[in-house]
Amino acid sequence: MSFSIQEVAELLKQAKENKKPYVFFTGAGCSISAGVPSATGLIKEIRQQFRIQVNKIDHEQDRYNYGKYMSALDKDERRRLLKPHIIENKKINWAHIALACLMKEEYIQRVLTFNFDSI
């Protein structure tokens, strides 16, 4: 089922009036457009920066297994990998601004994300 922009606006308005604001779920789209790599992008970085740690992973079989690649790194290696993306280069984008405005005006109650960044 899909809705037009006008219908989404009306649904948000109704939810606010009924004091039942929506909860938004976000994923990689918000983060990628803010400069944070996808899981696949991070796997590529892991393979470049930590070749020895991941040399036993079968890349053909596990090329999209983010958990397997991340678990091959220790805590400090994971921090070193993620630090440039989530601490040093935080960039908000229009999606973040729009969601913040909707929250401020009480059209949405909260935003839940599957992303690891803190934006």
Side-chain angles (χ1 to χ4, degrees), residues 48-103:
Q48 291 170 349
Q49 295 177 35
F50 303 99
R51 288 187 305 272
I52 296 170
Q53 292 87 328
V54 299
N55 69 357
K56 300 246 188 295
I57 296 175
D58 180 349
H59 183 64
E60 287 304 310
Q61 180 180 341
D62 294 312
R63 78 176 122 232
Y64 302 116
N65 192 332
Y66 174 75
K68 189 171 250 185
Y69 278 91
M70 287 300 277
S71 66
L73 307 179
D74 67 29
K75 184 171 84 174
D76 291 328
E77 291 165 337
R78 287 191 297 271
R79 277 195 186 131
R80 196 165 71 231
L81 171 73
L82 298 175
K83 184 178 177 184
H85 302 299
I86 62 175
I87 296 173
E88 296 171 352
N89 295 320
K90 290 183 183 179
K91 302 175 200 167
I92 62 170
N93 60 35
W94 288 110
H96 299 116
I97 293 168
L99 288 171
C101 290
L102 288 168
M103 287 183 77

